[in-house]
Every structure is written in C-alpha cells, then in structure tokens.
C-alpha cells in the first residue's frame, strides 16, 4: 500500500517557513531589523509594510534607526511601532525614528 505524503510535505514546509520567521524575531541581546518586519504603517491611504516606506539599520547593539523615504510619515511610523507593543522605546527627530531596546 502506498502513501501520499504531498499534503504532509506542504504543511511541513509551511511550518518550517513560519519557524524561520519566528527565529528571526528573537531578541538575543542585540537589536536586529527583522523584529520590525511585521509592522505595517498607515501611509498613502493604505496599510504599507514598514520596510517599503523606510530603511531600517542597526545603530548600535541596543538601538535601531528607521529612516523614512518620505519625512512626512515619520510620526505615522513612530505610532505604528508603538502600537505594535514590542516592548521597545521610540523617539523621533527630523531624520527618522530611533527604536531602543531595554
């Protein structure tokens, strides 16, 4: 008797992709831009992923720098990061948003 494992393979592949995304978001004592991947910003009349409206870079071990491509949406980015409830602090200035980790 033969078994069809195609449905099991697709489910396992989906679980593996999910687990890979979860591992990227782990906080290991160093700030990583992958933590902000799930955040969407209300910009240009629709919800837009943060990485499509801003550049995210590591400033130091405990902070990230989010530089918006359009400076008029900096407050929207700060609001979206705060609303995501990641346990991080945010502060904005003229050039972007600084995300600090405890």
């Amino acid at each position: 008797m033969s078994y069809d494992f195609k449905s099991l393979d697709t489910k396992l592949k989906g679980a593996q992709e999910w687990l890979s995304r979860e591992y990227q978001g782990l906080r290991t004592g160093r700030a990583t831009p992958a933590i902000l991947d799930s955040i969407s910003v209300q910009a240009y009349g629709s919800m837009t992923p943060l990485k499509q409206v801003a550049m995210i870079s590591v400033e130091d071990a405990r902070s990230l720098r989010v530089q918006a491509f359009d400076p008029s949406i900096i407050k929207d980015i700060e609001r979206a990061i705060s609303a995501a409830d990641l346990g991080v602090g945010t502060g904005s200035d003229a050039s972007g948003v600084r995300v600090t980790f405890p």
Side-chain angles (χ1 to χ4, degrees):
M1 181 174 196
S2 65
Y3 294 102
D4 185 21
F5 290 107
K6 290 180 184 177
S7 64
L8 177 65
D9 287 339
T10 57
K11 288 180 182 179
L12 287 175
K13 187 162 218 58
Q16 183 180 16
E17 290 171 0
W18 172 83
L19 187 60
S20 174
R21 285 191 306 268
E22 288 294 311
Y23 282 155
Q24 288 178 350
L26 286 178
R27 290 172 41 176
T28 59
R30 181 163 174 85
T32 178
I35 293 173
L36 302 179
D37 280 349
S38 63
I39 296 176
S40 294
V41 178
Q42 179 67 32
Y44 312 116
S46 65
M47 294 302 285
T48 308
L50 179 62
K51 59 185 172 183
Q52 290 183 3
V53 296
M55 181 177 63
I56 305 168
S57 59
V58 177
E59 210 169 49
D60 58 39
R62 298 181 68 185
S63 65
L64 297 174
R65 183 72 162 160
V66 181
Q67 294 176 326
F69 299 133
D70 180 8
S72 67
I73 62 169
I74 290 176
K75 289 295 181 186
D76 295 326
I77 291 172
E78 184 179 13
R79 194 174 309 119
I81 293 171
S82 296
D85 196 29
L86 298 173
V88 297
T90 59
S92 64
D93 54 19
S95 63
V97 178
R98 176 177 285 132
V99 180
T100 56
F101 292 81

